[in-house]
């Protein structure tokens, strides 16, 4: 259990903490959730850099690191649905979950053959766009909850974070299709 893997486990633990902070209403709960989300997102950046720099890449890390990312971002999207941030977030969540179920199923199929499929650049771009969108939503909603922005800014800012989330939804679909096509060899339709 090396340091990058410990950071991955920490991110898994932080996902439900983040969701609880997001959903339990108390003063500054958006800020608390934002800070935990940023800290958890930074563990993703740090564990990857450490694993590559010090040659600590493990099969556990290749499998669990993307899973930890999925847990964190899915927690945010489910929280946004619960908070009533609009029908668009529900569709994006459906796309994210569908992609993640497909990719995880493919990874499990490959694992049964002794192969571990690491995330590709498209999956990483998807994760970064999702995390950026989530940070933007949390920041805007926090500022709006304390009326720290001009009254007319709310629709514009909500449109801005919706645009980032739509982009992340598109990257989710594109990365999922590329992932499935690139790794179709691990799906044995004859069994």
């Amino acid at each position: 259990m090396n340091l990058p893997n410990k950071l991955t486990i920490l991110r898994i633990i932080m996902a439900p903490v983040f969701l609880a902070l997001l959903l339990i209403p108390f003063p500054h709960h958006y800020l608390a959730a934002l800070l935990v989300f940023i800290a958890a997102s930074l563990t993703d950046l740090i564990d990857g850099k450490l694993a590559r720099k010090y040659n600590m890449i493990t099969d556990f890390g290749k499998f669990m690191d993307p899973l930890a990312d999925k847990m964190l971002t899915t927690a945010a999207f489910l929280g946004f649905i619960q908070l009533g941030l609009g029908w668009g977030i529900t569709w994006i969540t459906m796309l994210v979950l569908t992609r993640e179920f497909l990719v995880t199923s493919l990874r499990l199929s490959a694992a049964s053959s002794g192969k571990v499929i690491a995330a590709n650049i498209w999956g990483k771009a998807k994760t970064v766009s999702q995390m950026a969108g989530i940070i933007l939503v949390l920041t805007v909603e926090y500022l709006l909850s304390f009326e720290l922005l001009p009254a007319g800014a709310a629709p514009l800012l909500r449109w801005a974070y919706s645009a980032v989330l739509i982009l992340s939804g598109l990257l989710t679909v594109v990365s999922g299709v590329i992932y499935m096509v690139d790794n179709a060899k691990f799906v044995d339709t004859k069994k």
Side-chain angles (χ1 to χ4, degrees):
M1 185 57 61
N2 60 33
L3 181 57
N5 290 341
K6 288 177 182 175
L7 290 172
T8 296
I9 290 171
L10 177 62
R11 191 161 62 261
I12 290 169
I13 293 167
M14 292 173 86
V17 172
F18 158 75
L19 185 59
L21 292 171
L22 179 61
L23 294 180
I24 298 170
F26 62 90
H28 306 287
H29 74 105
Y30 281 118
L31 179 60
L34 173 63
L35 294 175
V36 169
F37 188 86
I38 289 171
S41 298
L42 288 174
T43 68
D44 184 33
L45 179 70
I46 294 167
D47 71 20
K49 286 189 181 289
L50 288 174
R52 287 185 295 278
K53 182 175 182 179
Y54 296 106
N55 196 25
M56 293 190 282
I57 297 170
T58 63
D59 285 348
F60 176 88
K62 287 180 191 175
F63 190 77
M64 293 303 290
D65 182 69
L67 182 62
D69 296 340
K70 290 171 183 47
M71 290 176 67
L72 185 61
T73 55
T74 300
F77 289 129
L78 293 173
F80 294 163
I81 291 171
Q82 178 66 29
L83 293 171
L85 295 186
W87 62 268
I89 198 70
T90 303
W91 282 100
I92 291 169
T93 303
M94 190 274 304
L95 290 174
V96 168
L97 290 176
T98 300
R99 184 236 189 239
E100 302 315 348
F101 287 139
L102 287 170
V103 168
T104 300
S105 297
L106 183 62
R107 281 193 170 132
L108 290 173
S109 178
S112 70
S113 304
K115 304 288 182 193
V116 176
I117 306 171
N120 62 25
I121 190 69
W122 288 99
K124 292 175 184 180
K126 177 258 322 169
T127 299
V128 168
S129 70
Q130 288 175 353
M131 289 180 173
I134 291 163
I135 289 169
L136 186 58
V137 169
L138 293 169
T139 301
V140 168
E141 291 302 323
Y142 173 69
L143 294 173
L144 292 174
S145 71
F146 281 92
E147 299 177 0
L148 297 174
L149 297 169
L156 179 62
L157 291 171
R158 286 189 171 129
W159 179 88
Y161 74 53
S162 295
V164 174
L165 291 175
I166 289 168
L167 173 64
S168 78
L170 292 173
L171 282 171
T172 296
V173 172
V174 169
S175 69
V177 169
I178 290 170
Y179 199 88
M180 297 302 286
V181 169
D182 287 352
N183 297 291
K185 62 187 172 238
F186 295 112
V187 178
D188 186 356
T189 58
K190 295 176 183 163
K191 285 187 180 178

